[in-house]
Amino acid sequence: MKGVIFNLLEEVVTEHHGDSVWDTLLETTGSSGVYTSLGSYADAELYELVGAASNLTGIPVRTLLHWFGINALPKLATRYPAFFESAPDARSFILSVNTIIHPEVRKLYSGASCPHFHFAETAQTLTLGYRSPRKLCDLAHGFVEGVAAHYGETVTFSQPACMHDGAPSCQLLVTWPQ
Amino acid sequence: MTARPDPTSFDVSLEARCAQLERQLKRERQTRLEAESIAERGLREAYLTNQRFELLCSVTNAANHSVDPLDTLRFAIAEICALNGWVFANVLLRKGNGGDARLEACGLWHARNPDQMFAFADLSGRLIAWPCATAPGRMLIHPSAVWTRDIQASGDEGRNGLARQSNLRASITVPVLLGQELYAVMEFFTQCAVEPDPQQLEMLNQIGTQIGRVFKRQANEKKLIENAMRDPLTDLPNRAQFENRLEAIFQGNTGATSRRTSLIYIDLDGFKLVNDALGHLAGDRLLVEMASRLRKVAEGYATTPYPGAPDSVLIARIGGDEFIILVEGEHHSDDAADIAKDIHDVLRPSYFIETNEVRCAASIGIAHDDGSYAVSADLMRDADVAMYDAKSRGPGQTVTFDLTMRERAVGRLKLEAELRTALQLDEFCLRYQPIIDIESGQIVGFEALLRWQRGDSLVFPSEFLQVAEENGLMNVLGAWVLREASTVAAGWRRAHSHLPPFYMSVNVAPCQFLQPNFVDQVRDIIDATNVDPRVLVIELTENAAITNRERTRSVLEALRAMGIRLSLDDFGTGYSSFTHLQTLPFDNIKIDRSFVADGQSNVSSSIIDAMLSIARALDIGVIAEGIETRAQLDRLAAVGCTFGQGYLYDKAVTAEVALEKLGASAGYETPSQGQLLNP
């Protein structure tokens, strides 16, 4: 997992709950807490941190990931404004993930294992097919909502299929109102 | 001593201390983010540089292994599009020259989604761009990459609006060039506006250069093949191309189809003389001119449609001054004869190289394939044999091959070998024909004449001189003659002090005279034989004298400075004898035997008359050759001819007999009384 995800998590937790909570999470999990966007870290560390947060707050892990995605998005927009500037709306931003954003990530970090989304579009909807052993569909869900919020758009979100329920891949359906 | 701050004055509350630390932490975090950002920019730059380098390497590699530049271009545009996420690329090739220079699409394009931009791709694949302000057109004016950030924003119609329909935004146009030579243009399109990137442009230019190398290599290979099949001097097909064609005809012949070919073998008479006298550059110019005349004849037959016209006529240069024409068609024999006749006509007009007027004639041999030839080389050989036969008959002749010629050709080969042996075995000898003062009948000199003692028979030069000339033996023979005649003359003078004055006249062949070191050779022979140079007369034919008049003059003057006298031989048979007489320092002219023999005709008589008048005016001696009858002698005496030689006086005799005759007081016969003209 890229270090930037850990950085975002730290920023979101610190912003909403104070840096002592983040420190507690690190203490609880025995993590060093030394994360830089230039590095990659074991996926397990992220799951442990989120798990510890869940234990601390009593909020389920999946809900926490969703929350994290929504709140991390504005911070991504601050860090990487160019991606947002070149996309005029939420739909085109989401569609640029495969073609622009993840290729750019790979330019910085060779060997980064970015997920590939399979898109299916109608006039009102956009379906993201997501398949990854990380099963981070909730984080993706949060990101998508964050994107809509960034562009000031209202969307409804549903997930007709989920790997957590045994589906081979997750289907994330974004719908724009008529 | 430096004053130190009092630490107690920095005491702060715990709260303030925490705030301080938080600020410090925030700064540290900002510092980390800044560092990460700088590192990421560096990583991105390194990644792009590496990718571009890899692209350049892969295109260079493809270029190195490619024989077809279009293959390299196909590979390159696909790779460039894939690397950059560009959606369309098109290739235009440079065509035409000067005002006709243009770029033409060749149907080689690449589209990420061809179905979504087919109209644009299709139009691009047929585009023709003339020098103009549009991106490809600009390449013809200034071949340097052009990057337009957004063609839609720039108001570019983009191929009649089709670019807009395909949502194309940035366009990048890259020349494929090596040095100043533009070979092609690659154009790329994106579906989002892209800022010009100088590094990217530099890389694209380099790719253009690499592909330019493939074009250059292909052009060089093409040229090599062309050169291998074409004579670079005259631009005619060469021997290899001709032989390929002839061989193909023979291969294509089957028993069922009749063979319908003739070969016309052409050798330029007089070319070698020009080459030797005026130098290779002049020789080349003459060849180019003559080749162009020959080509016109051949092309006339090849391209003019008329009933029974030949199927094809191929002309090639197959040697220094040798050309061949291959005629295919039903009437090949007649066509070949007509072509030969036209060639003689077309070569006739003289040609000027600087101020030198030069002429070429052709010796032409023709061989027809009547179906009896099994291999093409035999047909070629027989045309060559016929050409040699024509050459032996003098300039400007055409001879068609027949079987007796082959025997003669074999004879010639044998003769050449025998001549070489004869030189080594010292089988050559001289005979001396007296030259007589017509009035007194006394010997004034001798003409040394070459003979070949071949076994029991004495062979005259007419039987071997041509072969000797063709095989480069003439210079050796000529030098031998001069040395032998000088030795004999010096010996006579040494041994017989009482002898009356005489001179020894020696013939010098044109090729011998044109040797750059001829004067030195003569000087060496005089030194070696100890002959008095005033005894020597060198006879030169007009052919040798006129080819390079300036050089002739300087050689003649050098010889005269040594004391040698000079005769212009065969006078009257050349092109413009009288002119040469006035401008070149000759002591004597020798009137050709043809005028003497034909002296009864009014024409010859008038010519002799004219020759004598001029000779008198220029104070030049006149020797009539070939006097065989008393009547001829009387006529020559009547018109004032001073010297003569011929069978009436004596044939050429051995040195012993010649010496005897020179010492004898009794002279030869004199003209009848009343025939002497008092000058």
Side-chain angles (χ1 to χ4, degrees):
Chain A
M1 185 69 71
K2 296 312 304 173
V4 69
I5 298 297
F6 292 87
N7 292 155
L8 290 170
L9 184 62
E10 177 186 350
E11 284 175 34
V12 170
V13 168
T14 305
E15 185 182 281
H16 287 87
H17 301 288
D19 45 16
S20 57
V21 171
W22 176 248
D23 195 59
T24 304
L25 291 179
L26 295 179
E27 285 294 315
T28 312
T29 58
S31 164
S32 72
V34 180
Y35 300 114
T36 160
S37 69
L38 302 174
S40 292
Y41 307 91
D43 290 359
E45 284 194 43
L46 184 77
Y47 303 144
E48 282 172 19
L49 285 168
V50 177
S54 174
N55 287 337
L56 197 69
T57 57
I59 302 169
V61 166
R62 293 187 60 182
T63 311
L64 274 179
L65 283 169
H66 176 225
W67 169 81
F68 169 48
I70 293 170
N71 290 285
L73 202 281
K75 304 197 177 303
L76 273 172
T78 309
R79 268 206 195 205
Y80 304 106
F83 294 142
F84 293 85
E85 283 161 10
S86 60
D89 51 33
R91 181 190 287 263
S92 57
F93 180 88
I94 295 168
L95 287 171
S96 74
V97 166
N98 284 336
T99 55
I100 297 174
I101 298 174
H102 285 164
E104 283 295 322
V105 172
R106 291 192 194 92
K107 285 179 190 174
L108 303 186
Y109 310 108
S110 65
S113 53
C114 304
H116 183 84
F117 292 96
H118 294 275
F119 294 117
E121 286 190 84
T122 68
Q124 259 72 51
T125 66
L126 173 63
T127 307
L128 290 76
Y130 168 76
R131 190 206 311 237
S132 164
R134 289 173 177 147
K135 297 187 183 175
L136 291 174
C137 53
D138 301 298
L139 181 59
H141 177 188
F143 278 144
V144 168
E145 283 190 17
V147 169
H150 176 87
Y151 285 99
E153 297 175 16
T154 307
V155 296
T156 56
F157 189 90
S158 63
Q159 192 169 348
C162 183
M163 284 185 286
H164 291 288
D165 301 332
S169 67
C170 301
Q171 300 289 316
L172 284 69
L173 176 63
V174 187
T175 306
W176 282 264
Q178 291 267 354
Chain B
M1 189 173 167
T2 312
R4 296 179 61 154
D6 180 3
T8 56
S9 65
F10 286 93
D11 277 351
V12 288
S13 66
L14 189 61
E15 202 171 302
R17 178 64 181 147
C18 282
Q20 198 179 41
L21 286 172
E22 276 178 5
R23 285 198 302 275
Q24 202 176 324
L25 188 63
K26 198 175 172 189
R27 274 199 307 277
E28 285 299 325
R29 184 173 284 140
Q30 287 299 328
T31 306
R32 194 198 82 216
L33 288 174
E34 179 68 15
E36 285 172 352
S37 167
I38 290 169
E40 284 180 353
R41 282 201 297 274
L43 282 171
R44 187 173 187 278
E45 204 56 50
Y47 174 86
L48 289 178
T49 305
N50 189 44
Q51 259 203 332
R52 287 168 186 173
F53 178 72
E54 280 179 3
L55 172 66
L56 185 58
C57 282
S58 70
V59 172
T60 303
N61 195 38
N64 285 341
H65 292 95
S66 172
V67 287
D68 184 352
L70 290 185
D71 285 345
T72 319
L73 276 165
R74 186 175 293 111
F75 174 79
I77 58 172
E79 289 287 303
I80 292 168
C81 284
L83 176 70
N84 296 294
W86 295 346
V87 293
F88 182 75
N90 184 38
V91 171
L92 298 113
L93 299 177
R94 159 78 190 267
K95 303 276 182 187
N97 284 305
D100 194 34
R102 62 195 183 277
L103 289 164
E104 276 187 20
C106 53
L108 174 55
W109 49 261
H110 170 90
R112 186 196 287 167
N113 301 303
D115 55 318
Q116 288 175 9
M117 54 178 68
F118 181 72
F120 181 78
D122 187 46
L123 183 61
S124 298
R126 292 183 282 114
L127 190 69
I128 295 178
W130 299 90
C132 64
T134 66
R138 270 159 75 178
M139 298 292 120
L140 288 162
I141 302 160
H142 182 62
S144 158
V146 175
W147 187 313
T148 307
R149 180 187 175 276
D150 187 349
I151 51 174
Q152 295 187 18
S154 73
D156 189 332
E157 277 300 304
R159 269 153 232 179
N160 301 328
L162 286 172
R164 185 181 290 275
Q165 284 177 29
S166 303
N167 191 32
L168 299 177
R169 307 296 293 268
S171 94
I172 299 109
T173 312
V174 182
V176 172
L177 83 168
L178 194 65
Q180 295 302 308
E181 187 74 22
L182 179 72
Y183 293 106
V185 166
M186 299 180 280
E187 47 174 11
F188 301 92
F189 294 89
T190 74
Q191 275 180 328
C192 54
V194 184
E195 290 297 333
D197 177 344
Q199 286 183 343
Q200 174 91 312
L201 270 180
E202 172 59 25
M203 195 256 327
L204 290 170
N205 275 327
Q206 288 195 27
I207 287 178
T209 304
Q210 294 302 329
I211 302 171
R213 283 174 43 227
V214 186
F215 275 100
K216 178 82 178 168
R217 202 163 60 222
Q218 190 193 41
N220 285 346
E221 279 168 10
K222 200 172 155 212
K223 186 146 196 163
L224 274 177
I225 291 168
E226 268 175 17
N227 285 350
M229 286 294 165
R230 201 158 272 280
D231 167 45
L233 179 67
T234 61
D235 204 35
L236 288 176
N238 64 6
R239 179 181 275 271
Q241 186 177 344
F242 164 75
E243 286 180 348
N244 282 352
R245 173 73 170 277
L246 185 62
E247 189 54 35
I249 291 172
F250 269 75
Q251 294 293 330
N253 276 336
T254 62
T257 60
S258 62
R259 294 171 176 172
R260 297 174 298 139
T261 51
S262 288
L263 286 189
I264 306 171
Y265 205 116
I266 303 155
D267 185 278
L268 295 182
D269 305 315
F271 164 74
K272 194 172 179 308
L273 220 53
V274 171
N275 213 31
D276 291 346
L278 301 180
H280 287 293
L281 282 179
D284 285 353
R285 282 178 57 185
L286 181 64
L287 268 181
V288 170
E289 167 68 18
M290 296 304 141
S292 141
R293 294 185 190 181
L294 295 177
R295 181 206 292 267
K296 275 190 196 123
V297 173
E299 282 178 355
Y301 281 86
T303 57
T304 312
Y306 59 89
D311 298 337
S312 81
V313 179
L314 175 76
I315 177 166
R317 180 181 175 214
I318 57 168
D321 58 352
E322 292 178 335
F323 299 83
I324 203 153
I325 297 177
L326 169 64
V327 186
E328 286 180 85
E330 200 180 335
H331 308 293
H332 61 102
S333 303
D334 294 341
D335 290 333
D338 291 346
I339 289 172
K341 187 175 161 300
D342 288 357
I343 286 172
H344 290 309
D345 289 344
V346 83
L347 294 185
R348 197 160 291 126
S350 61
Y351 178 63
F352 279 88
I353 299 173
E354 309 296 337
T355 55
N356 299 291
E357 184 180 8
V358 293
R359 284 160 203 272
C360 263
S363 292
I364 297 179
I366 298 177
H368 304 301
D369 183 6
D370 53 4
S372 66
Y373 287 95
V375 288
S376 60
D378 289 351
L379 180 63
M380 189 133 168
R381 178 201 58 207
D382 286 349
D384 189 19
V385 165
M387 186 278 288
Y388 266 94
D389 198 278
K391 208 165 195 58
S392 71
R393 300 181 191 194
Q397 302 295 315
T398 299
V399 167
T400 301
F401 178 80
D402 67 52
L403 282 175
T404 59
M405 284 174 203
R406 196 173 292 159
E407 288 155 23
R408 284 207 294 279
V410 172
R412 237 185 348 256
L413 271 179
K414 197 160 157 255
L415 181 63
E416 186 203 333
E418 286 173 349
L419 277 177
R420 290 179 189 278
T421 313
L423 265 170
Q424 288 163 17
L425 298 180
D426 240 354
E427 290 179 354
F428 291 99
C429 59
L430 292 184
R431 292 291 183 266
Y432 304 87
Q433 185 171 40
I435 299 169
I436 311 297
D437 179 305
I438 287 177
E439 187 183 350
S440 66
Q442 295 296 319
I443 293 176
V444 292
F446 295 91
E447 180 178 358
L449 297 165
L450 181 62
R451 301 288 186 266
W452 175 14
Q453 190 69 54
R454 191 189 199 183
D456 292 336
S457 57
L458 201 60
V459 185
F460 278 58
S462 57
E463 291 185 38
F464 62 83
L465 271 195
Q466 195 196 342
V467 174
E469 269 181 39
E470 285 164 5
N471 295 286
L473 298 173
M474 198 57 227
N475 292 343
V476 185
L477 267 178
W480 179 84
V481 170
L482 184 60
R483 187 180 300 275
E484 177 67 11
S486 299
T487 306
V488 166
W492 287 351
R493 184 54 70 199
R494 236 187 345 264
H496 310 281
S497 54
H498 63 279
L499 283 178
F502 71 92
Y503 60 82
M504 186 65 83
S505 203
V506 180
N507 292 286
V508 168
C511 63
Q512 192 186 354
F513 180 77
L514 290 167
Q515 295 174 100
N517 64 342
F518 178 67
V519 173
D520 294 336
Q521 281 186 22
V522 175
R523 192 178 289 119
D524 288 349
I525 288 172
I526 289 170
D527 290 347
T529 58
N530 215 13
V531 69
D532 180 351
R534 289 168 300 179
V535 168
L536 289 180
V537 174
I538 281 179
E539 293 189 19
L540 197 63
T541 59
E542 271 185 89
N543 279 347
I546 62 165
T547 333
N548 181 346
R549 207 172 300 168
E550 278 316 301
R551 187 175 174 280
T552 299
R553 183 205 303 284
S554 75
V555 172
L556 293 183
E557 280 169 358
L559 294 172
R560 284 189 81 180
M562 283 186 247
I564 297 169
R565 279 167 291 167
L566 308 162
S567 279
L568 185 55
D569 203 4
D570 300 339
F571 187 74
T573 57
Y575 290 117
S576 45
S577 308
F578 291 119
T579 327
H580 306 134
L581 208 51
Q582 285 174 322
T583 53
L584 294 170
F586 284 101
D587 300 278
N588 303 301
I589 55 172
K590 296 188 84 170
I591 298 177
D592 189 67
R593 61 180 64 242
S594 57
F595 297 105
V596 175
D598 193 34
Q600 277 178 318
S601 84
N602 289 335
V603 175
S604 289
S605 184
S606 314
I607 291 173
I608 291 174
D609 233 358
M611 288 176 187
L612 288 166
S613 312
I614 287 179
R616 269 196 295 276
L618 297 170
D619 197 19
I620 290 174
V622 178
I623 302 156
E625 292 184 286
I627 305 175
E628 292 180 359
T629 66
R630 245 207 108 72
Q632 288 170 353
L633 174 65
D634 286 346
R635 262 197 309 280
L636 287 164
V639 291
C641 186
T642 37
F643 304 104
Q645 66 185 99
Y647 281 0
L648 176 68
Y649 294 120
D650 225 331
K651 60 182 191 211
V653 296
T654 62
E656 293 73 28
V657 176
L659 178 62
E660 227 169 77
K661 300 211 176 225
L662 180 60
S665 53
Y668 290 94
E669 57 189 296
T670 52
S672 311
Q673 282 302 313
Q675 295 302 330
L676 282 175
L677 180 81
N678 289 322

